[in-house]
Amino acid sequence: MRLVVVGADGRMGRMLIRAVAEADGCSLAGAIERAGSAALGQDAGTLAGLPPLGVPVTDDPLPVFAAAEGVLDFTTPAATTHFAELAAQARIVHVVGTTGLSEGDLAKLAAAAHHARIVRSGNMSLGVNLVASLVRKVAAALGEEFDIEIVEMHHRMKVDAPSGTALLLGEAAAEGRGVRLPDVRVSTRDGQTGARRPGDIGFATLRGGTVVGDHSVTFAGPGERITLSHHAEDRGIFARGAVKAALWAFPQRPGLYSMTDVLGL
């Protein structure tokens, strides 16, 4: 499977290039960076700390997408919606690990999925998606006397909050309870907030150091607590998950999929 990495000069971009180069069943067909990037013209393999792969970094995605079968995308919401349009035109797979997407951005992805095979997830790792599956089941089994709180911590450079993974876990909890996350989400508490509203799903965000990603979901009930946690120690888990998602999506029909579909959960 011929795969393109967009945002090739970012931390995740370089990790994705390495994951594609090391995986069976795929090869790097292109590497995209923004206009003016110092990486333009460099060999993508050299950029990622590998031997040369014969794939120069370019800022023109059109011919690259036309010759590829999938794109791996951990960029920004504005870039991702643009790449979704191009993936739809090319009828290829689009794996989206971008976080911070708005409702409008998600609507654009849904429209592109009429022609592209889009796999979107706030987290591509096996472990996180297994935890999300457990969160969904626990939330369905416990009543509102158990309060749900989600705590996440990431490195100091992360720009969106709560993290995409925290929101993924919140969505799983909301689905388990049969409610919409926007209706019960509480992301900030400060000052005299009053008593906790029954049924709310709370989020707390920590930032600092070089933390790759820590997430915990706590169900706090009368006299007892249940906590489900995941600790990411290597960004490579996200890159390998993205490659797995692309290979899974290749034979599928156009549509919008998640890692739950990829992993059969």
Side-chain angles (χ1 to χ4, degrees), residues 3 16 44-45 49 56 74 78 96 108 112 119 123 128 132 135 154 157 172 191 234 239 242 245 250-251 254 256 258:
L3 295 174
L16 289 165
F74 286 67
V96 178
K108 292 177 181 178
V119 180
N123 193 299
V128 160
V135 166
H154 283 83
M157 302 303 291
D234 175 12
F250 188 36
L256 187 58
S258 70

Side-chain angles (χ1 to χ4, degrees), residues 123-171:
N123 193 299
M124 296 285 173
S125 84
L126 170 62
V128 160
N129 284 279
L130 286 172
V131 170
S133 179
L134 292 172
V135 166
R136 190 176 295 108
K137 292 180 179 180
V138 174
L142 300 177
E144 282 193 356
E145 68 271 19
F146 280 80
D147 300 319
I148 302 176
E149 293 288 321
I150 299 171
V151 179
E152 58 102 342
M153 183 171 186
H154 283 83
H155 53 89
R156 61 165 61 97
M157 302 303 291
K158 188 167 179 61
V159 299
D160 58 306
S163 69
T165 302
L167 293 173
L168 171 74
L169 296 170
E171 289 284 1

Side-chain angles (χ1 to χ4, degrees), residues 8-10 14 32-43 47 56-59:
D9 194 30
R14 297 181 187 207
I32 306 297
E33 255 301 334
R34 66 188 183 282
S37 170
L40 294 178
Q42 294 187 43
D43 185 275
L47 187 68
V57 178
T58 178
D59 61 359

Side-chain angles (χ1 to χ4, degrees), residues 60-77:
D60 185 5
L62 287 176
V64 178
F65 277 42
E69 293 162 321
V71 55
L72 308 180
D73 178 2
F74 286 67
T75 57
T76 65

